[in-house]
Amino acid sequence: MSNEVTTTLPKWQLQVVQVGQSIATTMILYGQPFYARRALEWSPATIAMAQIGIGLLTAIGSVLGGRLIERRGCRTSMKLGLVGLIAGSLAGWRLPEGWNMVTAIGLVAGFQGFIWPAIEAALTRGEPQYRVQNLVGMYNLGWSGASGLSFFMTTPLMSAFGLRAMFALPLLLYVFNMFMVWKVLPDYDSVPDEHHTVVDPEGVELTPQQRHAFRVLGWLANPMAYVAINVIVTYNPVVAQRIGVSFATASSWFSLWFYVRMFAFDLLRRWSGWHYRPNLLFAAFGMAMLGFAGMMLAPSLAVHLLAQVVFGLSIGLLYQSSLFYSMAGSEEKGTHGGFHESFIGLGIATGASLAFAGDHIAPQHPALSVLLVWVLMGMCLAVMWRIARGVSSSKPS
């Protein structure tokens, strides 16, 4: 495998943009349940319906964004996305109560799909496998750290400056990012995106069919993490009340898993032994199921924090696998990045659907939602195992 670096364009500008995007988008989409609970008195079932819409719009927007990237380039996709995001945050800040929330989450959910695949594609264009691993890891560190910070300060910010502060700060960040895209970002679309060899940990080159199979494994595993995440997000206000955490500090206590996931991203950035090893992916998947149940059913804050550690470590591998397999050796980075993000949107919608069903049948009691998620994740794990068996049987003996 050649160590030749095929691009000299700096990447720090993209990191700045993605940090701003993550802080702003997390604050609006993850702050939505708390805002809806406090200002609109929505039940978990109603909050879940909003999350279903967020997920579906994210899925559609990401596919459209991926296609636009392939046709018109990353910069065009980011500009269009930011127009929608600015409009969404402005609507949340200024429109009448109720309409502001619906309009904001609709626009932000749909148009974020034009941003993330563009950043991912621009970051990894023309890069060989060893560089993709590091760049994907740095990208994940940036957005995960920023999202953790954003969620940590969301309810304290709303408590100190009013509920609509969750739209005002994102508006400023989206405007700043528009300036970055228009005036500061290099022309990443000009970098030739050539094919590079992709190998497993033993140095054996993978066939296009094997690379596709691992992409599918990542695209299946990572959305299941988001199924769990969005059930957690929907029930966060209920869990906080049950274990005695105040509104002003709830998002701070419940943000630990963001930072643990960030630690996992850094570990996986430095260690390549996890590449193309299905058993490690399956182990992380099982840990995610346990951590999710612990967070939902924790009898105390201490148990909740421990479960967050397990959950954060495990989903780090699920996300890193999906994005790395999407980008490594890919000649359609925009399309594959769009699918990566679109499957996340489907995971969001599915998780919210399960939360809606669980709360409709057993209001305010998360146990049924946990069971529904476990059934779905178990079915997905069985499908992944069959795909992995096909990959193993296709390897030369």
Side-chain angles (χ1 to χ4, degrees), residues 34 150-160 246-252:
F34 291 101
S150 178
F151 192 58
F152 179 88
M153 66 183 184
T154 292
T155 57
L157 185 72
M158 293 161 70
S159 182
S246 69
F247 175 84
T249 63
S251 71
S252 300

Side-chain angles (χ1 to χ4, degrees), residues 285-346:
F285 199 98
M287 287 178 59
M289 293 175 69
L290 293 174
F292 160 72
M295 291 171 67
M296 290 285 287
L297 304 175
S300 66
L301 180 59
V303 174
H304 195 280
L305 293 173
L306 178 61
Q308 286 190 67
V309 172
V310 174
F311 187 69
L313 285 173
S314 57
I315 65 170
L317 181 58
L318 305 188
Y319 189 98
Q320 192 96 337
S321 297
S322 178
L323 186 54
F324 175 78
Y325 297 150
S326 294
M327 296 293 113
S330 169
E331 295 175 334
E332 298 178 89
K333 289 182 170 59
T335 298
H336 291 156
F339 281 135
H340 162 78
E341 297 293 336
S342 182
F343 279 110
I344 289 175
L346 292 177

Side-chain angles (χ1 to χ4, degrees), residues 229-240:
I229 287 169
N230 281 274
V231 173
I232 291 167
V233 168
T234 300
Y235 276 95
N236 267 341
V238 173
V239 174

